[in-house]
Coordinates of all heavy atoms in Angstrom, one line a residue:
I1 N 0.9 -1.2 0.0 CA 0.0 0.0 0.0 C 0.9 1.2 0.0 O 1.8 1.3 0.9 CB -0.9 0.0 1.2 CG1 -1.9 -1.2 1.1 CG2 -1.7 1.3 1.3 CD1 -2.9 -1.3 2.2
L2 N 0.7 2.1 -1.0 CA 1.6 3.3 -1.2 C 0.9 4.5 -0.7 O -0.3 4.7 -0.8 CB 1.9 3.4 -2.6 CG 2.5 2.2 -3.4 CD1 2.9 2.5 -4.8 CD2 3.8 1.7 -2.6
K3 N 1.7 5.4 -0.2 CA 1.3 6.8 0.1 C 2.4 7.7 -0.4 O 3.5 7.6 0.0 CB 1.0 6.9 1.6 CG 0.4 8.3 2.0 CD 0.1 8.4 3.5 CE -0.6 9.7 3.8 NZ -0.9 9.8 5.3
D4 N 2.0 8.7 -1.2 CA 2.9 9.6 -1.8 C 4.0 8.8 -2.6 O 5.2 9.1 -2.5 CB 3.6 10.5 -0.8 CG 2.5 11.4 -0.1 OD1 1.6 11.8 -0.8 OD2 2.7 11.7 1.1
E5 N 3.6 7.7 -3.2 CA 4.4 6.8 -4.0 C 5.5 6.0 -3.2 O 6.4 5.4 -3.8 CB 5.2 7.6 -5.1 CG 4.2 8.3 -6.1 CD 4.9 9.0 -7.2 OE1 6.2 8.9 -7.3 OE2 4.3 9.6 -8.1
M6 N 5.3 6.0 -1.9 CA 6.2 5.3 -1.0 C 5.4 4.2 -0.3 O 4.3 4.5 0.2 CB 6.9 6.2 0.0 CG 7.8 7.3 -0.7 SD 9.1 6.6 -1.6 CE 10.2 6.0 -0.3
P7 N 6.0 3.0 -0.1 CA 5.3 1.9 0.6 C 5.1 2.2 2.1 O 6.1 2.6 2.8 CB 6.1 0.7 0.4 CG 7.5 1.2 0.2 CD 7.3 2.5 -0.5
V8 N 3.9 2.1 2.6 CA 3.6 2.3 4.0 C 3.2 0.9 4.7 O 3.4 0.7 5.9 CB 2.6 3.3 4.3 CG1 3.1 4.7 4.0 CG2 1.3 3.0 3.5
I9 N 2.7 0.0 3.9 CA 2.3 -1.3 4.4 C 2.7 -2.4 3.4 O 2.2 -2.3 2.2 CB 0.8 -1.4 4.7 CG1 0.3 -0.3 5.7 CG2 0.4 -2.8 5.4 CD1 -1.2 -0.3 5.9
L10 N 3.5 -3.3 3.8 CA 3.7 -4.5 3.0 C 2.8 -5.6 3.3 O 2.5 -5.9 4.5 CB 5.2 -4.9 3.1 CG 6.3 -3.9 2.9 CD1 7.7 -4.6 3.1 CD2 6.2 -3.4 1.4
I11 N 2.3 -6.3 2.3 CA 1.3 -7.4 2.5 C 1.8 -8.7 1.9 O 2.1 -8.7 0.7 CB -0.1 -7.0 2.0 CG1 -0.5 -5.7 2.6 CG2 -1.1 -8.1 2.3 CD1 -1.8 -5.1 2.0
E12 N 1.8 -9.8 2.6 CA 2.1 -11.1 2.1 C 0.9 -12.0 2.3 O 0.3 -12.0 3.4 CB 3.3 -11.7 2.7 CG 3.6 -13.1 2.1 CD 4.9 -13.7 2.7 OE1 5.6 -13.1 3.4 OE2 5.1 -14.9 2.4
C13 N 0.5 -12.7 1.2 CA -0.7 -13.5 1.3 C -0.4 -15.0 1.2 O 0.5 -15.4 0.5 CB -1.6 -13.1 0.1 SG -1.9 -11.3 -0.1
K14 N -1.2 -15.7 1.9 CA -1.1 -17.2 1.9 C -2.5 -17.8 1.5 O -3.5 -17.1 1.6 CB -0.7 -17.8 3.2 CG 0.7 -17.2 3.7 CD 1.8 -17.8 2.9 CE 3.2 -17.3 3.4 NZ 4.3 -17.8 2.6
H15 N -2.6 -19.0 1.2 CA -3.9 -19.7 1.0 C -4.5 -19.8 2.4 O -3.8 -19.9 3.4 CB -3.7 -21.1 0.4 CG -4.9 -21.8 0.2 ND1 -5.4 -22.8 1.1 CD2 -5.9 -21.7 -0.8 CE1 -6.6 -23.2 0.6 NE2 -6.9 -22.6 -0.5
Y16 N -5.8 -19.7 2.5 CA -6.5 -19.6 3.8 C -6.2 -20.8 4.7 O -6.4 -20.7 5.9 CB -8.0 -19.4 3.6 CG -8.8 -20.7 3.3 CD1 -9.3 -21.4 4.3 CD2 -9.1 -21.1 2.0 CE1 -10.0 -22.6 4.1 CE2 -9.8 -22.2 1.8 CZ -10.3 -23.0 2.8 OH -11.0 -24.1 2.6
A17 N -5.9 -22.0 4.1 CA -5.6 -23.2 4.9 C -4.2 -23.2 5.4 O -3.8 -24.1 6.2 CB -5.9 -24.4 4.1
D18 N -3.3 -22.3 4.9 CA -1.9 -22.3 5.3 C -1.7 -21.6 6.6 O -2.4 -20.6 6.9 CB -1.0 -21.7 4.2 CG -1.0 -22.5 3.0 OD1 -1.3 -23.7 3.0 OD2 -0.6 -21.9 1.9
G19 N -0.7 -22.0 7.4 CA -0.4 -21.4 8.7 C 0.4 -20.1 8.4 O 0.9 -19.9 7.3
L20 N 0.3 -19.2 9.4 CA 1.1 -17.9 9.2 C 2.3 -17.9 10.2 O 2.1 -17.7 11.4 CB 0.1 -16.8 9.6 CG -1.1 -16.6 8.7 CD1 -2.0 -15.4 9.1 CD2 -0.7 -16.5 7.2
D21 N 3.4 -18.2 9.6 CA 4.7 -18.2 10.4 C 5.6 -17.1 9.9 O 6.1 -17.1 8.8 CB 5.4 -19.6 10.2 CG 6.6 -19.7 11.1 OD1 7.0 -18.6 11.7 OD2 7.2 -20.8 11.2
P22 N 5.8 -16.1 10.7 CA 6.6 -14.9 10.3 C 8.0 -15.3 9.9 O 8.6 -14.7 9.0 CB 6.6 -14.0 11.5 CG 6.3 -14.8 12.6 CD 5.4 -15.9 12.1
H23 N 8.6 -16.4 10.5 CA 10.0 -16.8 10.1 C 10.0 -17.3 8.7 O 11.1 -17.2 8.1 CB 10.4 -17.8 11.1 CG 10.7 -17.3 12.5 ND1 11.7 -16.4 12.8 CD2 9.9 -17.4 13.7 CE1 11.6 -16.1 14.1 NE2 10.6 -16.6 14.6
N24 N 8.9 -17.9 8.2 CA 8.9 -18.4 6.9 C 8.4 -17.3 5.9 O 8.2 -17.6 4.7 CB 8.1 -19.6 6.8 CG 8.7 -20.8 7.6 OD1 9.9 -20.8 7.7 ND2 7.8 -21.7 8.1
S25 N 8.2 -16.1 6.4 CA 7.5 -15.1 5.6 C 8.6 -14.2 4.9 O 9.6 -13.9 5.5 CB 6.7 -14.2 6.5 OG 6.3 -13.0 5.8
Q26 N 8.3 -13.8 3.7 CA 9.2 -12.9 3.0 C 9.2 -11.6 3.7 O 10.2 -10.8 3.6 CB 8.7 -12.8 1.5 CG 8.8 -14.1 0.7 CD 8.3 -13.9 -0.7 OE1 9.0 -13.4 -1.5 NE2 7.1 -14.4 -1.0
L27 N 8.1 -11.2 4.3 CA 8.1 -9.9 5.0 C 9.2 -9.8 6.0 O 9.8 -8.7 6.2 CB 6.7 -9.8 5.8 CG 5.5 -9.7 4.9 CD1 4.2 -9.6 5.8 CD2 5.5 -8.5 4.0
F28 N 9.5 -10.9 6.7 CA 10.6 -10.9 7.7 C 11.9 -10.5 7.1 O 12.8 -9.9 7.8 CB 10.7 -12.3 8.4 CG 11.2 -12.2 9.8 CD1 10.5 -11.6 10.8 CD2 12.4 -12.8 10.1 CE1 11.0 -11.6 12.1 CE2 12.9 -12.8 11.4 CZ 12.2 -12.2 12.4
R29 N 12.1 -10.8 5.8 CA 13.3 -10.5 5.2 C 13.3 -9.2 4.4 O 14.3 -8.5 4.3 CB 13.7 -11.6 4.1 CG 13.8 -13.0 4.7 CD 14.4 -14.0 3.7 NE 13.5 -14.2 2.6 CZ 12.5 -15.1 2.6 NH1 12.2 -15.8 3.6 NH2 11.7 -15.2 1.5
Y30 N 12.1 -8.8 4.0 CA 12.0 -7.6 3.2 C 11.8 -6.3 4.0 O 12.0 -5.2 3.5 CB 10.8 -7.7 2.2 CG 10.9 -8.8 1.2 CD1 9.8 -9.2 0.4 CD2 12.1 -9.5 1.0 CE1 9.9 -10.2 -0.5 CE2 12.2 -10.5 0.1 CZ 11.1 -10.9 -0.6 OH 11.2 -11.9 -1.6
F31 N 11.3 -6.4 5.2 CA 10.8 -5.3 5.9 C 11.9 -4.1 6.0 O 11.5 -3.0 5.8 CB 10.4 -5.7 7.4 CG 9.8 -4.6 8.2 CD1 8.4 -4.4 8.1 CD2 10.5 -3.8 9.1 CE1 7.8 -3.4 8.8 CE2 9.9 -2.8 9.8 CZ 8.5 -2.6 9.7
H32 N 13.1 -4.5 6.3 CA 14.1 -3.4 6.5 C 14.6 -2.8 5.2 O 15.3 -1.8 5.2 CB 15.4 -4.0 7.2 CG 16.2 -5.0 6.4 ND1 15.8 -6.3 6.1 CD2 17.3 -4.8 5.7 CE1 16.7 -6.9 5.3 NE2 17.6 -6.0 5.1
T33 N 14.2 -3.4 4.0 CA 14.7 -2.9 2.7 C 13.8 -1.7 2.2 O 14.1 -1.2 1.2 CB 14.8 -4.0 1.7 OG1 13.5 -4.4 1.4 CG2 15.6 -5.1 2.2
T34 N 12.7 -1.5 2.8 CA 11.7 -0.4 2.3 C 11.5 0.6 3.4 O 11.9 0.5 4.5 CB 10.4 -1.1 1.9 OG1 9.7 -1.4 3.0 CG2 10.6 -2.3 1.0
T35 N 10.7 1.6 3.0 CA 10.3 2.7 3.9 C 9.0 2.3 4.7 O 8.6 3.0 5.6 CB 10.0 4.0 3.2 OG1 9.0 3.7 2.2 CG2 11.3 4.5 2.5
A36 N 8.5 1.1 4.4 CA 7.2 0.7 5.1 C 7.5 0.5 6.6 O 8.5 -0.1 7.0 CB 6.7 -0.6 4.5
R37 N 6.5 1.0 7.4 CA 6.6 0.9 8.9 C 5.7 -0.2 9.4 O 5.8 -0.6 10.5 CB 6.1 2.2 9.5 CG 7.1 3.3 9.4 CD 8.4 3.1 10.1 NE 8.2 2.7 11.5 CZ 7.9 3.6 12.5 NH1 7.8 4.9 12.2 NH2 7.7 3.2 13.7
F38 N 4.8 -0.8 8.5 CA 3.9 -1.8 8.9 C 3.9 -2.9 7.9 O 4.2 -2.7 6.7 CB 2.5 -1.3 9.1 CG 2.4 -0.2 10.1 CD1 2.3 1.1 9.7 CD2 2.4 -0.5 11.5 CE1 2.2 2.1 10.6 CE2 2.3 0.5 12.4 CZ 2.2 1.8 12.0
S39 N 3.7 -4.1 8.3 CA 3.5 -5.3 7.4 C 2.3 -6.1 7.8 O 2.0 -6.1 9.0 CB 4.8 -6.1 7.3 OG 5.1 -6.6 8.6
L40 N 1.7 -6.7 6.9 CA 0.5 -7.5 7.1 C 0.7 -8.9 6.6 O 1.0 -9.1 5.4 CB -0.7 -6.9 6.5 CG -2.0 -7.7 6.5 CD1 -2.5 -8.1 7.9 CD2 -3.1 -6.9 5.8

């Protein structure tokens, strides 16, 4: 989700039957590379 052309929220999606493990999430690796302050 962008605001003023800069990312503010990064979102990673899984199939509804899949578990949500942040360690296996790309968000855990990508978070520090962008200006986004939040991830979903």
Side-chain angles (χ1 to χ4, degrees):
I1 293 179
L2 308 181
K3 186 175 183 180
D4 300 326
E5 300 185 3
M6 300 296 288
V8 291
I9 305 175
L10 301 179
I11 304 171
E12 183 178 348
C13 310
K14 303 289 185 184
H15 183 262
Y16 81 87
D18 291 343
L20 299 180
D21 184 350
H23 291 288
N24 295 331
S25 166
Q26 296 179 76
L27 293 177
F28 206 66
R29 302 191 296 274
Y30 297 169
F31 188 83
H32 71 282
T33 68
T34 74
T35 58
R37 290 293 309 279
F38 302 102
S39 58
L40 169 60

